[in-house]
Amino acid sequence: MNCYDCHASEGADTAAVAVCHGCNSGLCPGHLRITRPVVHRVNGTGVSHSPAPARQVLCATCHAAAQGIALPSPSAERAERAERTERAERTARRSPVT
């Protein structure tokens, strides 16, 4: 399995080392985010959470969504970068060479 964010943003085939808990995409070490949520249980009266926080692996998109932050998708970033490159090439072709 390869990292989805590497493939979507750069077209690279980077090996995934984890899977996002939110969307199940493969993630490389550079794109994963690790959170430590407290696990709550319905337990009547008394302690209703685990004494130690759990470990949760998320991609940047799911992590931002959990924090309430909007991020552009990796494929949108790739399309925007391609558009900027194309515009620069068109400008270079139009300008006279001296």
Side-chain angles (χ1 to χ4, degrees), residues 7-94:
H7 176 73
S9 64
E10 305 159 15
D13 291 331
T14 308
V17 296
V19 175
C20 175
H21 181 76
C23 65
N24 296 322
S25 354
L27 300 168
C28 71
H31 285 113
L32 63 86
R33 309 286 186 270
I34 297 176
T35 62
R36 303 284 296 188
V38 175
V39 179
H40 293 279
R41 298 185 202 117
V42 178
N43 198 24
T45 59
V47 177
S48 64
H49 59 84
S50 174
R55 177 177 55 204
Q56 189 176 62
V57 177
L58 297 170
C59 66
T61 303
C62 291
H63 185 260
Q67 303 296 317
I69 303 168
L71 288 180
S73 69
S75 54
E77 291 174 3
R78 184 178 183 185
E80 185 179 310
R81 192 169 44 245
E83 186 178 318
R84 281 195 308 263
T85 302
E86 186 178 317
R87 253 187 275 135
E89 289 172 355
R90 280 194 307 245
T91 306
R93 283 188 294 228
R94 281 191 226 148

